Amino acid sequence: MRKFDYLSKMILSAAAFLAITATVALAKYPDRPITMIVAYSAGGGTDIAARTLAPYIEKYIGTSITVINKAGAGGQIGFTELAHSKPDGYTIGFINTPNVLTIPIQRKTKYSLKDLAPVANVVYDPGAFSMLATSKIKTLKDLIAFAKENPGAVTYGTTGIGSDDHLAALQFERQNGIVMTHIPYKGNNKVRAALLGGHIMMASMNISQSIDDFKDGKITIFGQMSEKRWSGAPQIPTFKEQGFNIIMGSDRGIGAPAGIDPKIVLTISDAVAKAIADPEFQEKAKKQSLPLTYMSAKEFTEHLEKSEKNFQKIWDETPWAKK
């Protein structure tokens, strides 16, 4: 009996020790640098957002953050690496819609949404159509009229098959009975260069990536694909205002590998919220034309799950790539 009591006490003591150790370890998070994966190349919209935001997350979370680029396959390489990283809070990364959701829908991948833990959304960047300011096409109605008279003549560039830019153009074609010619590029910088160089007629890009050229008088932006006008482009009407029911854009948020401790998720999410609200960051975001839209981990998760169902429905009805 005494031996049994002794063993019981030893087991209980060990369990208590482990619980205390785990609590202390968690209380110390973070106690070393964090790596932030960006699934796109340096200099792009996501990379700029990540490198602008990282120092402010550092300020509120209490450790350094190293941003690394893992570009390729429309984001698949970076998303996969994030999903397969250790879920200890020391590897996080930007996850972008629709790519993080549409890639596993259109082809076999080694990750899916269930392998990721959404932490916080940072940016919602509405889609937009633009042409050179010298073009005779000035409005969406002009675009439709021209495309109907000249099927396939409108060449438009995007950041790739299945991107928000591509899906937006497909929706516009289907809603208006027109046919345009898609030319995918590896990154918005290349789409912009192709438009300004006259190699394509139209760019389908996020509005933050077009607004500076619009302000410089180089291009005309026909509309933004959001419920309401972004404060950084109040003079540009939405597609809905013009009678076209298209809401499409790119969320750029932060995720972690699935299985991460919820308390760590909350710690990171709170630091992101404080970073976004920081007046100094707000000023930098304004200069860089970042359309900030914060969502908590819960809100971001619900948003992504809903979006995934919508994209799956679109794919089932009208696939955007060959099956």
Side-chain angles (χ1 to χ4, degrees):
M1 188 69 177
R2 289 178 181 175
K3 185 177 181 180
F4 178 78
D5 289 343
Y6 176 75
L7 288 173
S8 296
K9 288 179 181 178
M10 289 293 290
I11 292 170
L12 289 172
S13 296
F17 175 77
L18 290 172
I20 292 170
T21 302
T23 300
V24 170
L26 183 60
K28 288 183 178 179
Y29 175 83
D31 62 2
R32 62 181 188 270
I34 294 171
T35 295
M36 177 184 283
I37 296 172
V38 171
Y40 298 93
S41 58
T46 303
D47 182 68
I48 291 172
R51 293 180 188 278
T52 302
L53 182 63
Y56 296 92
I57 301 178
E58 291 176 342
K59 175 180 176 180
Y60 294 104
I61 204 167
T63 193
S64 63
I65 296 175
T66 301
V67 178
I68 60 170
N69 300 89
K70 294 287 182 179
Q76 182 177 343
I77 291 174
F79 301 148
T80 301
E81 178 156 337
L82 176 62
H84 290 276
S85 296
K86 189 175 180 180
D88 57 5
Y90 291 98
T91 301
I92 59 176
F94 264 74
I95 52 178
N96 304 54
T97 64
N99 295 46
V100 72
L101 304 174
T102 56
I103 290 172
I105 289 174
Q106 77 179 55
R107 60 178 180 259
K108 187 176 181 180
T109 59
K110 293 182 179 180
Y111 86 91
S112 67
L113 182 58
K114 65 179 177 59
D115 299 311
L116 297 167
V119 173
N121 192 54
V122 177
V123 165
Y124 173 71
D125 202 350
F129 288 167
S130 60
M131 287 190 179
L132 291 175
T134 53
S135 172
K136 293 181 179 180
I137 299 173
K138 300 295 184 185
T139 66
L140 291 174
K141 290 184 178 179
D142 290 345
L143 173 60
I144 294 168
F146 180 87
K148 284 187 174 180
E149 291 178 7
N150 305 275
V154 176
T155 54
Y156 70 95
T158 75
T159 54
I161 294 171
S163 64
D164 55 311
D165 317 316
H166 182 215
L167 297 182
L170 290 179
Q171 282 192 40
F172 190 75
E173 284 180 306
R174 289 164 187 156
Q175 285 185 15
N176 297 289
I178 61 174
V179 176
M180 301 187 292
T181 300
H182 180 215
I183 301 177
Y185 290 88
K186 293 181 180 179
N188 63 276
N189 288 338
K190 294 185 181 299
V191 178
R192 175 180 178 269
L195 177 65
L196 296 179
H199 304 296
I200 53 175
M201 282 185 65
M202 186 176 82
S204 178
M205 295 199 304
N206 299 114
I207 196 164
S208 74
Q209 298 157 351
S210 308
I211 193 64
D212 288 342
D213 288 326
F214 171 79
K215 290 178 179 178
D216 290 341
K218 296 177 182 177
I219 64 172
T220 298
I221 298 178
F222 301 149
Q224 49 185 311
M225 304 171 196
S226 51
E227 290 287 354
K228 59 182 181 180
R229 300 185 188 192
W230 168 42
S231 60
Q235 67 276 60
I236 299 173
T238 66
F239 273 53
K240 288 187 74 173
E241 287 177 70
Q242 301 175 74
F244 303 98
N245 187 26
I246 297 179
I247 305 295
M248 186 66 71
S250 177
D251 295 294
R252 297 172 197 157
I254 293 173
I260 186 174
D261 191 302
K263 291 180 181 178
I264 294 178
V265 170
L266 184 60
T267 297
I268 302 170
S269 184
D270 285 350
V272 173
K274 291 174 182 175
I276 291 175
D278 189 295
E280 188 176 298
F281 171 73
Q282 290 262 335
E283 186 61 30
K284 288 187 177 181
K286 185 176 180 181
K287 289 179 180 177
Q288 294 182 359
S289 300
L290 295 178
L292 301 176
T293 305
Y294 174 78
M295 289 185 228
S296 67
K298 182 175 183 294
E299 293 168 332
F300 194 27
T301 298
E302 291 172 350
H303 172 70
L304 290 177
E305 289 174 347
K306 181 180 178 181
S307 298
E308 183 181 45
K309 289 178 182 177
N310 290 338
F311 289 130
Q312 183 66 60
K313 184 179 179 182
I314 293 172
W315 174 260
D316 291 341
E317 293 174 353
T318 50
W320 54 79
K322 293 182 178 179
K323 290 188 177 182

